[in-house]
Amino acid sequence: GDELMGTIKTDEIERAKAELMAAVEKSGDELDERSRQLLDHRQYHRYDLHMIPANRPDAPAISLGRHGHKLSGGENQAPFFLSMLAAFHRVYDLGGGQYRQNMGLVIMDEAFSKLSGDGVEDCLSLARNFQLQLVMAFPVDRLGVMAPYAKTIIHCRKDEQRDAEGYVTRIDNIPTVLTPEEVQESLE
C-alpha cells in the first residue's frame, strides 16, 4: 500500500519475487538447482564489473572479479566508486516523478584514497551529474583535488591530553569551517 514502493514495481522485480516465493514453498526433495541457489544466502551479493579501456573501445572487456587482484589499487577503486555512485543514484532516483528522493546523501570515509587526481575528478563529476550530496572525510593532501567540488570544507583537528605517564586521557576533535581563502593558503 506504500505509494513510494508502488512506483518502483516492475515486471522484473515481480518475477523475481514470484520465483523466490516458489522456491520457499518447495520442500527438500522438490528443490531444483535454481531453487537451491535462490535459497542459499551465499549466492547473494556477488557481482562482477567488466571494464573496457576508454582509449581502446575495441579491446576485450576485463573482468574485475577474475583479474582485479592483478590491478593497482587505483584501477580497482575507480570501478568500485563509479558503481557505488551509480547504485546510490539508482536508489535515490527510484521514486521518479513526485516521489523522487531529493536528498541523495552519500557519506564516505577516506574516499578515493588510492585514486589519482583524474580518477577522483571523474568520480566527483559523476556525483555532481547524479545530483548526489557527498559528505567525505579525506586527508589534507587531497584538498587540492576535492576543494573545487566542495561547497563547504571543514578541517578537523585532534587535540590530545596526556597524563604524566604519557597515556591519552582526553581527545577533543575541533572542527573549523575553512573559507575559500584559507583553503587556498593551505594549498600553497
Side-chain angles (χ1 to χ4, degrees):
D2 184 339
E3 292 179 38
L4 178 60
M5 294 306 289
T7 65
I8 62 172
K9 279 190 175 183
T10 67
D11 291 338
E12 180 183 5
I13 291 172
E14 293 304 310
R15 277 192 306 274
K17 286 176 13 185
E19 187 179 8
L20 179 60
M21 186 51 77
V24 168
E25 292 172 349
K26 289 181 181 179
S27 66
D29 293 341
E30 298 173 330
L31 288 175
D32 57 10
E33 185 57 33
R34 175 70 179 144
S35 296
R36 280 189 179 84
Q37 287 178 350
L38 287 171
L39 298 175
D40 185 352
H41 68 88
R42 295 169 298 179
Q43 298 296 318
Y44 291 99
H45 306 295
R46 292 178 187 224
Y47 305 96
D48 192 9
L49 289 173
H50 291 188
M51 296 186 323
I52 297 174
N55 60 345
R56 294 183 39 225
D58 57 329
I62 301 168
S63 164
L64 286 180
R66 290 180 56 204
H67 303 289
H69 61 282
K70 298 176 187 173
L71 302 173
S72 72
E75 289 172 323
N76 271 331
Q77 272 199 345
F80 169 76
F81 282 115
L82 293 174
S83 62
M84 290 304 296
L85 292 171
F88 274 108
H89 173 66
R90 174 79 171 127
V91 166
Y92 286 124
D93 199 41
L94 272 178
Q98 73 185 63
Y99 298 108
R100 179 169 183 328
Q101 301 292 320
N102 292 319
M103 181 172 59
L105 185 64
V106 178
I107 299 173
M108 297 180 174
D109 183 21
E110 295 193 30
F112 319 124
S113 62
K114 295 180 182 173
L115 288 181
S116 66
D118 292 346
V120 172
E121 289 171 356
D122 289 343
C123 288
L124 293 173
S125 292
L126 181 66
R128 181 177 282 166
N129 290 342
F130 282 165
Q131 298 177 346
L132 296 172
Q133 298 178 49
L134 302 181
V135 176
M136 299 184 295
F138 57 88
V140 175
D141 65 336
R142 289 294 190 165
L143 189 58
V145 176
M146 304 290 212
Y149 294 88
K151 288 187 178 176
T152 304
I153 296 175
I154 301 172
H155 179 258
C156 292
R157 183 175 54 83
K158 179 173 69 170
D159 185 34
E160 293 180 352
Q161 293 179 5
R162 297 179 179 266
D163 62 15
E165 297 169 356
Y167 293 104
V168 176
T169 58
R170 180 181 172 137
I171 298 175
D172 290 317
N173 292 306
I174 305 165
T176 306
V177 176
L178 298 180
T179 65
E181 294 79 24
E182 291 170 323
V183 170
Q184 190 58 40
E185 285 175 20
S186 67
L187 294 175
E188 295 172 354

